Amino acid sequence: MRWHLATVPGLLPHRCHLASRATGRRTVINAAQERSVVTDIPSHAQVVVIGGGVIGASVAYHLTKLGYCDVVVLERNAIGSGTTWHSAAGLSMTTEDPAFLRNFLYSRSEIQVVERESGLSVGRKVVGRMVFSHRSASFERLRRVEALGRSAGFPLHILTPAETLDLLPILAPKELLGSLWNPDAYRVDPTGLTEALLRIARRRGARVFENAAVTAIESGDQVRSVTTSKGSIRCEIVINCAGVWARQIAAMVGLPLPIVALEHFFVLTKPIAGLPSETPSFRSGDDLFYGREEVGGLLLGVFDENARLINLPDLPADFSFGLLPENWDQLAPYIDKIVERLPVFGQAEIKTFINGPEAFTFDHRYILGESSRTRGFYTLAGMNSGGIGACMGAGRQLAELIITGAPTEDLTPVDICRFQSFEGSDRWLRLVGPDLTSGTYLSRSHSRPGTRNIRRSPVHSLLQAWQANFQPVCGWEVAESFGDSTTDRVHDEVALLESDAGLVDESHFGKIRVSGKSAAGPLQTLVNDVLPGDGRSAARLPMRNARGGVESVPIVVRVAKDEWLLLVEPAETPRLRRFLHAAAPECRVTDETSGWAFFLLAGPRAKHIITELRPTDTGEADWVHIGVTPALACHLETDIAIICPTEYGATLYEFILVHGKRTAPALGPVGSAAVERRRIIVGQPRWNRDLNAFLPDVRCEGLAGPETGTMVLALRPVEGAPAEAYVHAPVWSNRGCVGYITSAATTSDGEVATIARIHGPLEGELWLDTGSGKTKLKRTR
């Protein structure tokens, strides 16, 4: 390995431990803090927050702000220790998700409130942030982020290479395409922010205890008490904000929390001559590194591939302001590329290697919500090295969820119930862990040995024989398309569904049985519609919560008297079970995903095929035989939903494909991508894409909702408009940004079809901001 550095690892000066810097800062604050801290653990508290880092501090701040004042914060060592103190602590808006934009805007304003109310400086310094690009695909993504910022009147700007170099002259011009500039990006002192949040929380009644390690949690179906090294506390609510130790805390109530502790590192150089203090922070997603000016030098960090896992029991019990050993071998593969982009780094002298623990999740979203097993046990953890940027918005979201049950954001993407049971196993987390750090910048599916083929359909071998192209979905191997993956097989499969018929394996869908003599009443209330009366028909029925949001759009099938099967996508299954247990406690709710095979016979000839394959219906019998297989074949709009016990799945699938050709010679297997594309083309909304649990006032009869509320609309570019669309693209009308694209696909004739969430009323024309230009839209439904 050739090092382009003035100082090589063997010649480094003695290691400068950042803990000394943090400890010095804490000395001043602790003098005032100790006067207000009670030393005796109370016997009872309404809420116990486990973890005194910036996440726990934000939760305590927001709970007390909303009126919950009987709050106790427990920290195993010192406030702000663990993972908080060594954070690079940058806050910027550089993602495509509108929810992150709203969180950033909230954080930007609320942190100033925190400074004023606490009387403490949080070290806020506005430096701006630049994301530069050397690849066309990533540069187009930056254009989309700029369009998102424009939708909220937020200052994001695409800069030319020359403009980029004017603001960041240490960057090499070679191959530079440009950058995204966020002038409002800033950084803070992470320990200072933590102390300021807790100072305000204390003034409102919260109590904070250091060196109070949690050793046990007493619970059954409800939390009862927390035992610490200083005593026990009876409580109604426990909030797990323990960072990399959150998995160990969750295990105390039997919750297998899917969090991985990984090494995450950055280096600090000695001062560099001529480097101005106003140098903006920067990031290269292409090259997996980020950086900023720090005390006249550079701070440079890497989101490395093949990240190293941390075995938490190996850490010393008093690990607080500690660091992990320097790991130059892990940094080495990125040195050449960093020096190529930032030549000044090649001549800089490195004074410190900071290697600290961070908590990651495998979908790179934090975990927020209440356990489905233990009432009153909440988690906010797994911040993916973005805890400072997310702490204010996430703390507010959790406090609102606990106190009002109605957060101001849709929490589905971060819901603790989004995970499947296998994803909490130690082995799975060890397998996916090395990819999680780099996954913060790179989009990839897990492909390491052992991470695929976790769950397989009963017809998996048949799909393989038909040359299925599999993609992992919640551990399932799902056939996305068939045949040569280098051609657009999806286009051909969509055409088959539009003209003839195709057979789709959807056995990966969750199957939730709702049963009981009184089951019909609660189900009809939730769906506000008539339930299917027999097993020969099925219906997609939106299931609403008390706020009017859509919790799910299951396919509902009656499988027996007083028994219904709800067919939902696998990611929905855990949280829908939780919702049904709470909303219909008089019903029996069971997960029967493993007990059923599920196929969709789709297309205009589907009904003709099924008529030929099964005997004429007699009486009111729900079940029929298709070949020798007992099955339910239910009419679902233009398609046929077919379910049977799992052990018959392979026989039934093969029988339909072979004998169905007598009626429809073109019949063949079709993948999930074609079904999804067809859905968008016909304008059928999908839960957690176009509809979610937070949205009130959305009607699903057709697509248009009330003109004064939220609408879900099918939109297409007008004739001659550029054919470009993507999820999260802003939609504008005469009165400004009115919504965002939630689904997009290309039709068989090359047009773009979209579904959008629009917040009415609409005025005048609609047009799409693609980041590269404006596209006029027309409503199709």
Side-chain angles (χ1 to χ4, degrees), residues 11-137:
L11 301 177
L12 279 174
H14 73 278
R15 178 174 167 185
C16 172
H17 203 293
L18 281 192
S20 62
R21 194 173 57 160
T23 304
R25 181 171 58 241
R26 284 176 46 78
T27 301
V28 176
I29 296 173
N30 274 341
Q33 174 189 335
E34 289 171 356
R35 291 193 292 271
S36 63
V37 172
V38 291
T39 57
D40 295 331
I41 289 282
S43 62
H44 178 271
Q46 184 178 23
V47 181
V48 171
V49 179
I50 302 174
V54 72
I55 303 301
S58 176
V59 170
Y61 169 86
H62 285 95
L63 283 172
T64 55
K65 181 178 182 178
L66 294 178
Y68 269 33
C69 297
D70 188 10
V71 176
V72 167
V73 178
L74 302 174
E75 167 53 45
R76 67 194 295 269
N77 291 116
I79 294 301
S81 62
T83 60
T84 292
W85 72 273
H86 59 74
S87 168
L91 291 90
S92 64
M93 173 51 217
T94 51
T95 69
E96 297 177 67
D97 192 331
F100 284 95
L101 171 58
R102 291 189 290 270
N103 264 357
F104 177 81
L105 294 174
Y106 171 73
S107 298
R108 184 181 62 170
S109 62
E110 193 69 11
I111 281 178
Q112 297 179 57
V113 174
V114 170
E115 280 193 307
R116 289 197 305 269
E117 292 191 5
S118 68
L120 297 174
S121 170
V122 303
R124 187 168 57 91
K125 181 179 180 181
V126 179
V127 294
R129 186 175 181 88
M130 177 178 293
V131 183
F132 53 84
S133 175
H134 295 79
R135 299 176 185 170
S136 58

Side-chain angles (χ1 to χ4, degrees), residues 588-606:
R588 184 184 180 196
V589 179
T590 54
D591 184 352
E592 298 189 356
T593 299
S594 300
W596 301 88
F598 171 35
F599 310 123
L600 190 68
L601 186 57
R605 297 193 58 78

Side-chain angles (χ1 to χ4, degrees), residues 4-5 169-172 269 272-273 275 298 300 338-349:
H4 291 273
L5 296 173
I170 62 173
L171 181 62
T269 75
I272 297 172
L275 184 68
L298 284 176
L300 281 164
I338 294 174
V339 171
E340 180 184 348
R341 303 301 188 205
L342 304 170
V344 67
F345 184 57
Q347 302 304 314
E349 185 177 355

Side-chain angles (χ1 to χ4, degrees), residues 526-529 540-544 548-554 637 682-688 690-693 695-706 710-713 755 757 781:
L526 290 173
V527 302
N528 193 28
D529 206 336
R540 288 187 174 92
L541 297 177
M543 189 169 287
R544 299 180 183 278
V550 179
E551 288 286 343
S552 180
V553 187
E637 295 132 9
V682 300
Q684 179 187 89
R686 180 178 175 185
W687 187 83
N688 205 27
D690 317 301
L691 305 166
N692 63 45
L695 285 176
D697 302 322
V698 178
R699 287 206 315 264
C700 294
E701 301 85 15
L703 282 170
T710 302
M711 294 174 284
V712 179
L713 303 180
I755 298 175
R757 272 200 301 263
R781 287 188 64 184

